[in-house]
Amino acid sequence: MKKATRPAAIILSLSAAAIAMAFVIIHRPLPKPVPLAAPRVYLNDTLSNSLSEIPELAGLDRKIEKYMRQWAMKGASLAIMRNDSLLYAKGYGWADEGEGKKMEPSHILRMASVSKLITAAGIMVLQDRDSLSIKDTVFGQNGILNDSLFNSVIKDRNYHRITVEHLLRHQGGFYRDPLFSSRDVKHQMGLDCPPEKEDFFRLVLSHRLRFMPGDWEKYSNFGYLLLSEIIEKVSGKSYEDFIREEVLFPAGCFDMHIAGSYYRDRRDNEVRYYTHEGDGKFVEEYNDSGIMVERCYGGNNIPLLSGAGAWCGSPAEIARFVAAIDGRPEVKDIISPDAVAQMTEYFDKETYSLGWNDTDPAKGWSRTGTLSGTTALVKYFPDGECWIMITNTSTWRGPGQARYTDALFKECRELYGDRLPERNMFE
């Protein structure tokens, strides 16, 4: 197995203005956050399709609509940013066909594994505060997660070699990734209710590792569930509260939320999700009720995914978030230049970047996401242009759909990139 090269350690200094919090955390103390001023503008409240009804870009709209017809998508939302300025934001098709609601750029959608980029940024915020280091070990006496729940189930001492960075790069070595198998886990563990995160911890960590941490990569949602737990342990807040208050709000994102599992759980401006026709559209409910449900509504426990895939938001707000972690000067970053460099450092195509899928300097940065009822792609091109599209319909291609969306972005950039308006809808 190929061993990934590790980046050099980065020494971060603790701000002199940081004040230790009243409670004690086993690792370095977390400074009190600076109180946030009330936001002047909520981005999603300012956006509508009418702002991007531009005759010169009618061809772009036709390309998007053709793509949606090709893949039988009910709706899609697109945002285009250049040099940290939002140039274009538009919805296509239906947000909720049954309710007769057209897609608008202000609608929010499940972003699936794009959530991992948000989680990784949360880890870097904590590192910038000297509250942890990505080189810190996760388990064992000196690990971050060293309480009895973890110590009692881990028998393989190789777990003590796992670092925060290994989790970020999908290099932990876990034997299984069971977050989408609640029913199976319930039966396997003999539970009388759907498994909670602690049950998944006990199940996975009680087995031997598949490979030595850092020696190989195997995509792991479970690893990002552990990162969510690390954020809670170090910050002393719930994962959602910390991310919203210390990551998203400072980035200017005020309408991102942990999504629900059912249609009844949706936010007022959240879309309806649709799964493709064919095998697997209807499944047994994740809680083992025996009821058959559409996979996107009750097939999985979405909130349980936490930092691995539970966030929902608009592509425009995701663009705003990306602007706050990209190292460009136009929008103030929420993480340090060193942290930006760590997140985007590129080794080879076999090594995951931190939060991003890939950060090849020649091809740009990419982050994909897939759930039943959702496909998402964030593509940040080397020239500073970022295209983001989320659909409310999954396709039979599953995670492979991102490849086709990427090709669509490249074609549209070539044809219509020079026709995009010079403006900034963030302001």
Side-chain angles (χ1 to χ4, degrees), residues 142-308:
N142 298 317
I144 299 173
L145 302 180
N146 65 351
D147 50 290
S148 59
L149 168 63
F150 300 98
N151 291 337
S152 63
V153 297
I154 292 175
K155 307 303 179 186
D156 182 354
R157 293 188 62 82
N158 287 323
Y159 275 95
H160 297 176
R161 302 187 180 192
I162 297 175
T163 66
V164 174
E165 184 174 5
H166 289 146
L167 300 183
L168 288 165
R169 296 191 190 278
H170 303 277
Q171 295 177 339
F174 306 110
Y175 94 108
R176 189 176 172 188
D177 193 16
L179 299 191
F180 293 98
S181 305
S182 288
R183 290 178 60 252
D184 292 342
V185 171
K186 177 177 179 289
H187 295 161
Q188 182 176 346
M189 299 187 71
L191 304 174
D192 57 7
C193 59
E196 301 292 341
K197 64 178 181 180
E198 292 81 6
D199 298 309
F200 286 97
F201 293 154
R202 292 186 183 95
L203 174 65
V204 175
L205 301 179
S206 63
H207 288 75
R208 296 180 65 85
L209 292 175
R210 293 180 62 184
F211 57 85
M212 196 66 68
D215 278 1
W216 196 46
E217 294 80 31
K218 179 67 174 176
Y219 194 86
S220 176
N221 292 291
F222 179 76
Y224 272 75
L225 181 64
L226 287 170
L227 288 167
S228 306
E229 189 75 2
I230 287 170
I231 287 172
E232 291 195 350
K233 181 70 175 290
V234 174
S235 72
K237 296 183 177 184
S238 73
Y239 166 79
E240 181 177 10
D241 285 349
F242 177 82
I243 292 296
R244 295 193 74 210
E245 295 169 9
E246 309 294 337
V247 178
L248 296 175
F249 289 177
C253 304
F254 302 96
D255 196 17
M256 290 190 186
H257 314 274
I258 295 294
S261 298
Y262 298 95
Y263 183 68
R264 62 178 178 268
D265 299 328
R266 70 195 185 284
R267 302 275 171 170
D268 289 342
N269 63 329
E270 187 175 358
V271 302
R272 183 182 184 98
Y273 304 101
Y274 302 87
T275 49
H276 61 86
E277 299 291 340
D279 293 340
K281 180 173 182 177
F282 292 95
V283 297
E284 288 192 53
E285 196 172 11
Y286 83 88
N287 61 11
D288 206 31
S289 68
I291 298 173
M292 298 299 291
V293 297
E294 190 171 2
R295 188 184 291 273
C296 60
Y297 285 119
N300 290 298
N301 186 348
I302 300 299
L304 176 74
L305 298 175
S306 191

Side-chain angles (χ1 to χ4, degrees), residues 281-353:
K281 180 173 182 177
F282 292 95
V283 297
E284 288 192 53
E285 196 172 11
Y286 83 88
N287 61 11
D288 206 31
S289 68
I291 298 173
M292 298 299 291
V293 297
E294 190 171 2
R295 188 184 291 273
C296 60
Y297 285 119
N300 290 298
N301 186 348
I302 300 299
L304 176 74
L305 298 175
S306 191
W311 285 100
C312 64
S314 69
E317 278 212 332
I318 296 172
R320 178 74 195 194
F321 167 71
V322 171
I325 62 166
D326 66 356
R328 293 194 62 88
E330 294 87 354
V331 169
K332 183 178 180 181
D333 286 339
I334 60 170
I335 56 177
S336 67
D338 285 342
V340 174
Q342 281 187 300
M343 287 187 71
T344 58
E345 186 173 9
Y346 179 73
F347 298 100
D348 52 58
K349 64 181 181 179
E350 297 176 352
T351 303
Y352 285 100
S353 300

